[in-house]
Amino acid sequence: MTTTTAPQTPAAALAALLDRLEPVNTETLAAHAAAGRVLAEPVRADRDSPAHDVSAMDGYAVRLADFAATQLPIAGEVITGSDPPAMPRAAALRIFTGGCVPAGADAVIRREDVDERPGHIRLRVPADTIRRGQNIRRRGENLTAGATVLDAGNPVHPAAAAALATFGHARPLVHRRVRLAALITGDELLPPTAAPEPWQLRDSNGPALHAMFAHLPWIDWQGAIHVRDALDKLTTAVRDRLASCDALLLTGGVSMGDHDHVPAAVRASGGEVIFHKLPIRPGKPLLAAVGPQGQAILGLPGNPVSVMVTARRFAAAALRQRAGFASADPPRPVVRLVDADDKTIPLWWHRPVRMTAPGEAELVATMGSGDVASTARSDGFIELPPDTAGKGPWPCWPWSVT
C-alpha cells in the first residue's frame, strides 16, 4: 500500500510520517545505566520535597518571641541529616543549609546578620526586620508525595538523573535504544580510504550518518553497508536490515534514474510509502515509508549535502519518535541573518549558515548539493519558505542531534 500526497510543506510531510510511527518497547535499567535514554513512564515523588522544613541558609534557628533582647545564648547545633533536637526556650540553635528546622522555630537568621560570640549571638540587624518563616523552606513546597516530577518522554539528562535519585527511582522504565542501520547505494562509491579514479567518489554519506546518529545514547547504531545498484540485491539488503532494525536509512537511488531502485525495493520489502518527493532544496527526491513491523524508513537522496540536510530535518525527528521522546520535532532555535541576500527559489530552501553570535548567523556560500567543502564550514542550515528572502528570523537546524 502506498500513500500518495500532493506537494506539501516539510512540516506537514514530517507530521504525516510521525503520525505513523510508534515508540520502540521498553526495558528497566539501573539508574546509572539509563543516562540519555527516554523515560517510558512518569517519575513520581515518593515523598514530599523537601521532606521536612529545612534551612535555606547557614545561620541560627530562633523563636521570634525570644528577641525582646538583642542577643541569645547558643544552646546547641542541628546536625544536617539528623532528626532535629527540641527547640529550646530563650536560646538559638546553630543550623546549616539543608538542616531540618526544629519544631517551634519561627525563623533562621543568617550568619551574616549576627555577631558570633563565644556561647551567644548578637543581632546586627533590627529585631523587627526578622519575619516569621524567614530562610525556611517548608515541607512539600517543591512538590508533594505522589506528584509527577517528570513525564514520560523526557530524556534522562543530568537534572533528570538527579531527580531519579532524589525520589528513589533506582530502576526506571525507559525505552530501549532504537536499532538504526544504513544502506549506501551507488556503484561509483568507494570507501573513504580508497584512491578513486576521477569518475569515482569516496563515500561520505556513511560517515556523515554515523557522525550524526551513532553517538546518541538512545541509538543502537548497526552500521552502514554499501549495496550495489541492482534491484534484487537492494531488496535483499532492505529485507535483511528490516528484520533486525527499528529504523533504516538509505542514501541514493531514490530519484527517477534507471538505476534508482530504492522505491521499488522498499515496496517489495513491505514498506508503505508515506511520501515521495517534496518541494525542497536540497533533497527533493526524499522518500519516507513505514516498514511491515512499524520501522521508520527514509530514502535520502544521494548527493552528500542532500543526505545531511534530509537526515537532520526528517530522519532525526523520525528516530526521536521511535525512541519515545514526548516531542519528536521540538521547536527550533531561530536566527537572523547578518548578510541576508534577495535570492529566492519556488521551493522550501535549506541554506547552510555559520553562527556569528547568539541568535545571529551568516550564509555560507555553496555550489550545490555536492559541495561538501562549504557545508563542512557551516554550523547547520536555515529553512526559508518558497519565494522568500530576508533577514528572518528563520528556524535553524544545527548539525548536531540531541
Side-chain angles (χ1 to χ4, degrees):
M1 176 180 176
T2 299
T3 299
T4 57
T5 59
Q8 54 194 305
T9 68
L14 180 57
L17 174 62
L18 297 182
D19 189 56
R20 295 295 309 279
L21 298 176
E22 298 291 335
V24 297
N25 55 24
T26 61
E27 60 184 344
T28 300
L29 294 179
H32 73 272
R37 303 290 280 277
V38 182
L39 293 169
E41 64 181 5
V43 173
R44 302 190 191 281
D46 65 336
R47 60 179 185 163
D48 294 340
S49 174
H52 194 285
D53 289 355
V54 295
S55 177
M57 295 284 178
D58 292 345
Y60 293 87
V62 299
R63 299 177 190 271
L64 295 183
D66 292 335
F67 271 102
T70 59
Q71 70 177 39
L72 285 174
I74 301 171
E77 181 175 292
V78 177
I79 305 298
T80 303
S82 298
D83 191 24
M87 187 68 202
R89 293 285 180 181
L93 289 175
R94 185 179 292 109
I95 193 168
F96 301 96
T97 303
C100 291
V101 176
D106 298 315
V108 171
I109 302 175
R110 302 184 308 165
R111 293 189 73 176
E112 300 94 315
D113 293 334
V114 300
D115 287 323
E116 297 175 303
R117 306 293 178 84
H120 71 274
I121 57 172
R122 181 182 294 274
L123 278 179
R124 301 177 62 184
V125 296
D128 60 6
T129 64
I130 302 171
R131 298 288 182 259
R132 188 175 301 277
Q134 181 173 303
N135 298 321
I136 296 176
R137 296 182 56 229
R138 296 300 184 186
R139 174 177 177 172
E141 72 174 38
N142 296 334
L143 77 175
T144 56
T148 299
V149 182
L150 288 169
D151 290 318
N154 279 286
V156 182
H157 48 56
L164 290 174
T166 297
F167 297 105
H169 291 264
R171 295 188 60 81
L173 184 70
V174 297
H175 291 282
R176 64 169 174 78
R177 295 192 295 166
V178 176
R179 298 168 299 184
L180 172 64
L183 297 177
I184 311 299
T185 73
D187 290 350
E188 72 279 11
L189 296 181
L190 297 178
T193 55
E197 299 292 342
W199 57 87
Q200 296 175 312
L201 298 171
R202 295 187 180 97
D203 170 39
S204 64
N205 293 337
L209 294 176
H210 180 277
M212 190 173 289
F213 298 119
H215 68 285
L216 297 170
W218 45 274
I219 288 290
D220 180 5
W221 177 250
Q222 302 285 299
I225 61 173
H226 183 233
V227 184
R228 305 292 294 181
D229 289 327
L231 178 57
D232 58 342
K233 295 184 182 302
L234 182 57
T235 301
T236 297
V238 171
R239 287 174 175 167
D240 287 347
R241 293 311 243 176
L242 288 179
S244 60
C245 289
D246 307 303
L248 177 63
L249 305 179
L250 300 98
T251 68
V254 76
S255 190
M256 298 293 291
D258 291 343
H259 302 288
D260 289 338
H261 300 303
V262 166
V266 168
R267 293 186 180 97
S269 303
E272 177 185 349
V273 176
I274 305 302
F275 62 79
H276 184 196
K277 299 181 183 177
L278 291 177
I280 61 175
R281 180 186 292 177
K284 186 175 181 179
L286 175 68
L287 176 145
V290 176
Q293 278 76 52
Q295 303 97 328
I297 305 173
L298 278 297
L300 313 178
N303 282 328
V305 180
S306 297
V307 167
M308 288 183 277
V309 167
T310 53
R312 182 66 184 90
R313 179 67 176 90
F314 297 90
L319 295 174
R320 283 173 59 92
Q321 181 80 351
R322 293 241 67 195
F325 281 90
S327 179
D329 188 29
R332 296 290 112 209
V334 295
V335 299
R336 290 186 178 274
L337 296 177
V338 298
D339 60 344
D341 57 29
D342 58 0
K343 295 178 181 178
T344 66
I345 61 173
L347 303 170
W348 292 83
W349 196 3
H350 299 114
R351 304 187 70 180
V353 295
R354 182 186 300 111
M355 300 302 299
T356 58
E360 294 184 353
E362 63 184 9
L363 294 167
V364 174
T366 177
M367 299 302 293
S369 58
D371 187 358
V372 175
S374 66
T375 307
R377 295 190 289 271
S378 69
D379 296 312
F381 57 89
I382 57 173
E383 181 177 89
L384 283 74
D387 303 312
T388 304
K391 293 184 177 180
W394 306 117
C396 182
W397 280 259
W399 292 122
S400 297
V401 178
T402 56

